[in-house]
Amino acid sequence: MDNIFKPRPSQVDESQVKVEGDTLSKEAAAAASPNSIVDGSEAKGGTESIPSNASIPSEEGKEVFNEELMPNFSFPNELPDFLKSLLFFTANPEQRDALLLSILTMASSCLPGVYASYNGKKVNSNLFLLVTAAASCGKGIIEYSRMLLDPLTDCYQKEYEEELIQFQARMLDFKDQKQKGCLNKGDKPEVPQLHLHIIPANSSSAAFYDALRSNKGVGIIYETEADTMTNSLRSSEGPYSDVYRKAFHHEPILFYRKTLATPLIIKHPEISILLSGTPGQIPALIPSIENGLFSRFLYYKMDGDPLHWSNVFSIGSAMEEAFKSKSLELHSLTQTLRELPGVKIELPESLHDRFNEVFARFQEDYHCRYGEGIVASVRRMGLSIFRIMMIFTVLRHIDDLLGTNPESGRETILQITKEDCENALHMAGVLLEHTAGVYMILGQSELAIVRMENPKGLYEKLYESLPFEFITKDAVQKGDSLRVSRSSVERSLRAWTNQGKLIRLAQGRYQKPNTTKTEP
């Protein structure tokens, strides 16, 4: 019989938290407590609609994106204790949200053997996250999350050093035997490889694939400057965008080099990505909304206040010590999971309709507001949110998992609770608004490209030449007459729709917002 665990109640006392000598007062706890993002009085049923501060109506009643009103998380239920203890020290809502997402992304990379079924396929917990903010506006908070992987990194380093000592001893013996002529073919020892769970974003293709091969297809790409990955994607020596697109869905990765006797195949890659950068770095990393990378990322856009000076002495060493303590707990969990036959996460059938209804509503709403270009993001958001549910569930059962006997030979089954499901669905509503914010950034970028490709007012002439109501084919024909390429026409239609200069009636059908029909 499988091991089936039930969730335990929250056990964190938030009135006072003590971490190796550093104690926060009750007043400070009230300011920094995760309860400021958790309404624990009742479970309110999750995300029934888009957050009210996500958009504002224009004079015509049309929803218009407002960068100044980006929503924050306000969970309907308590988070797992593991997360609450780390979010406790951060009072700023934006920084707390970014920290939570980065913790989840780091954790997503080190839960071996944890899997679930989604849309008929086996999926693991890996997340792709991009946190964006202007310079010095608080995104550096995510660097704390990297500390969670320090014990794993240290463990790999220690293993490598031990293997290196053994290798050197075997090499001395090999050379001695070689001089005596006592060697058989294949006796030369192999050089040990250092496991890199955190893979640098600027790795060459050879180094990237070597790291994946050494780690059996598991790892995380972490970079605090998004343009580091941009340079890698543009370089012929770096990993390619298609590798990351395939990895998101655990699709096989094939790599061949002349130096390899046989092609390298990673059948089931489990790669997470955590990036941060300024809004200006995004168009270079993801040049188009149609680029497959765009819809695979979770986005969190921090507005921040560039003139606000934070109290740099308010936390002391307590936050760092808390992360060090939890990193050891996470490392113990990782080591335990490696020994278990497997941990299967299930969403109870009673919650299937809830999940499907919420995302069907999101898809309809965002398609109406932003057009078909954002639909892929909504659909892949469903997978990412389900993965967050998986991570919530594992973190809620850490004690149970650490106490599981790996010699039982039985797979462990954990069920996602209604509370974790609703918390994750709430996150979807907020994250989709942040995705829309990045979508607008890329839309403006595409508009700039159109203007560069079409000088001398051709961009304006194209718009003016279009009838009151038209289909994409009509616009392409008008573009041909003005010597505007099809791709530029299609980018123009997306940009105009985002700006409100066009209304998308259906797929491939548009209308100008003018009240009076005017033919060119």
Side-chain angles (χ1 to χ4, degrees):
M1 183 178 179
D2 295 325
N3 299 314
I4 302 178
F5 296 138
K6 294 182 179 179
R8 296 180 176 181
S10 175
Q11 298 175 341
V12 173
D13 178 8
E14 287 143 8
S15 63
Q16 190 176 65
V17 171
K18 187 173 183 179
V19 184
E20 294 192 12
D22 289 313
T23 304
L24 293 184
S25 66
K26 188 172 182 180
E27 292 75 14
S33 170
N35 278 344
S36 60
I37 57 170
V38 176
D39 182 2
S41 60
E42 60 177 334
K44 297 184 178 181
T47 310
E48 293 294 340
S49 61
I50 304 299
S52 60
N53 63 336
S55 58
I56 58 173
S58 66
E59 293 180 359
E60 295 85 10
K62 186 177 187 292
E63 295 287 348
V64 178
F65 174 74
N66 189 323
E67 290 186 336
E68 297 180 359
L69 297 176
M70 293 301 286
N72 305 120
F73 298 143
S74 180
F75 294 103
N77 305 293
E78 297 283 341
L79 292 172
D81 290 343
F82 182 95
L83 297 172
K84 291 169 63 179
S85 63
L86 295 176
L87 301 177
F88 182 84
F89 304 96
T90 310
N92 179 285
E94 284 189 333
Q95 289 188 328
R96 188 168 49 227
D97 289 357
L99 183 61
L100 169 62
L101 290 167
S102 63
I103 292 170
L104 292 173
T105 305
M106 285 293 181
S108 79
S109 73
C110 55
L111 301 179
V114 175
Y115 75 97
S117 178
Y118 184 88
N119 198 24
K121 296 180 180 179
K122 178 182 177 180
V123 299
N124 300 97
S125 58
N126 304 88
L127 298 173
F128 287 14
L129 171 66
L130 173 58
V131 176
T132 180
S136 73
C137 280
K139 62 182 182 295
I141 191 73
I142 72 171
E143 293 180 18
Y144 279 98
S145 67
R146 191 187 192 283
M147 295 174 61
L148 293 174
L149 299 184
D150 283 349
L152 183 60
T153 301
D154 294 341
C155 181
Y156 281 150
Q157 180 66 36
K158 183 178 179 180
E159 289 177 357
Y160 172 73
E161 291 173 354
E162 292 175 351
E163 291 174 358
L164 189 60
I165 292 173
Q166 295 174 7
F167 165 76
Q168 292 169 343
R170 288 195 297 267
M171 276 299 297
L172 290 175
D173 184 62
F174 170 79
K175 293 178 180 179
D176 182 58
Q177 295 296 320
K178 185 177 180 180
Q179 290 179 351
K180 297 177 180 179
C182 301
L183 289 175
N184 296 317
K185 187 175 181 179
D187 283 345
K188 185 175 182 178
E190 293 185 5
V191 179
Q193 289 185 314
L194 173 63
H195 297 302
L196 293 176
H197 186 80
I198 300 178
I199 305 172
N202 60 351
S203 300
S204 67
S205 59
F208 177 77
Y209 283 105
D210 283 343
L212 282 185
R213 178 174 57 179
S214 175
N215 297 349
K216 298 181 180 180
V218 177
I220 182 170
I221 296 169
Y222 169 71
E223 184 53 60
T224 56
E225 295 296 338
D227 51 9
T228 301
M229 177 174 273
T230 301
N231 296 334
S232 176
L233 291 174
R234 289 180 174 178
S235 170
S236 60
E237 295 299 321
Y240 302 104
S241 174
D242 66 306
V243 171
Y244 303 128
R245 295 198 301 269
K246 290 178 179 178
F248 180 82
H249 292 290
H250 310 299
E251 297 173 2
I253 298 173
L254 174 65
F255 179 64
Y256 177 74
R257 283 188 291 163
K258 292 181 179 180
T259 55
L260 291 176
T262 58
L264 170 63
I265 301 177
I266 299 173
K267 294 183 179 180
H268 190 83
E270 299 175 33
I271 302 173
S272 302
I273 300 178
L274 174 53
L275 304 174
S276 68
T278 63
Q281 292 175 332
I282 297 176
L285 175 66
I286 306 174
S288 171
I289 294 164
E290 294 181 349
N291 184 295
L293 273 181
F294 173 73
S295 60
R296 285 164 169 81
F297 273 88
L298 297 174
Y299 299 94
Y300 193 84
K301 187 174 181 293
M302 302 174 68
D303 296 320
D305 182 356
L307 297 181
H308 173 72
W309 180 268
S310 299
N311 182 355
V312 296
F313 306 107
S314 61
I315 296 176
S317 62
M319 187 171 180
E320 185 172 330
E321 293 301 326
F323 271 86
K324 287 181 180 179
S325 174
K326 287 301 178 181
S327 71
L328 297 175
E329 187 175 348
L330 183 62
H331 182 58
S332 296
L333 175 65
T334 301
Q335 299 296 82
T336 299
L337 291 173
R338 284 176 176 166
E339 299 175 358
L340 295 178
V343 177
K344 184 178 182 180
I345 310 296
E346 294 180 343
L347 182 68
E349 289 188 14
S350 59
L351 297 175
H352 288 187
D353 288 344
R354 171 68 176 158
F355 185 95
N356 291 325
E357 288 169 2
V358 167
F359 271 94
R361 202 156 59 240
F362 281 144
Q363 180 172 273
E364 180 180 359
D365 182 51
Y366 279 83
H367 177 268
C368 179
R369 293 165 64 191
Y370 297 99
E372 62 188 65
I374 205 169
V375 170
S377 293
V378 178
R379 291 177 177 173
R380 289 195 170 107
M381 176 76 72
L383 174 54
S384 294
I385 291 300
F386 183 71
R387 284 170 166 164
I388 288 176
M389 293 181 191
M390 293 171 64
I391 300 168
F392 280 165
T393 303
V394 172
L395 295 181
R396 199 175 288 281
H397 286 281
I398 285 183
D399 291 340
D400 293 320
L401 290 169
L402 291 176
T404 302
N405 180 10
E407 297 180 359
S408 67
R410 296 193 299 267
E411 186 177 67
T412 299
I413 297 177
L414 301 178
Q415 289 202 331
I416 299 169
T417 65
K418 180 180 178 182
E419 290 73 22
D420 285 336
C421 176
E422 294 297 347
N423 279 345
L425 290 176
H426 162 74
M427 293 179 72
V430 174
L431 291 170
L432 280 170
E433 282 301 300
H434 286 259
T435 298
V438 177
Y439 185 86
M440 297 295 287
I441 292 174
L442 293 179
Q444 294 297 323
S445 173
E446 291 188 338
L447 180 59
I449 293 173
V450 170
R451 285 173 171 158
M452 290 174 61
E453 292 179 347
N454 302 282
K456 300 180 181 178
L458 288 182
Y459 167 75
E460 289 79 8
K461 289 180 182 178
L462 174 62
Y463 179 80
E464 293 170 0
S465 70
L466 295 172
F468 174 74
E469 187 174 322
F470 61 93
I471 61 176
T472 302
K473 182 179 178 181
D474 299 331
V476 171
Q477 291 176 346
K478 293 290 186 181
D480 286 340
S481 66
L482 294 171
R483 296 184 179 181
V484 178
S485 69
R486 181 186 182 93
S487 61
S488 293
V489 170
E490 291 174 345
R491 280 196 295 264
S492 299
L493 295 179
R494 288 195 298 270
W496 289 330
T497 302
N498 291 337
Q499 286 187 315
K501 296 180 69 175
L502 287 179
I503 299 171
R504 188 177 178 279
L505 302 176
Q507 183 172 353
R509 182 173 294 277
Y510 300 87
Q511 174 184 298
K512 291 183 177 180
N514 307 53
T515 55
T516 304
K517 295 185 179 182
T518 56
E519 298 294 340

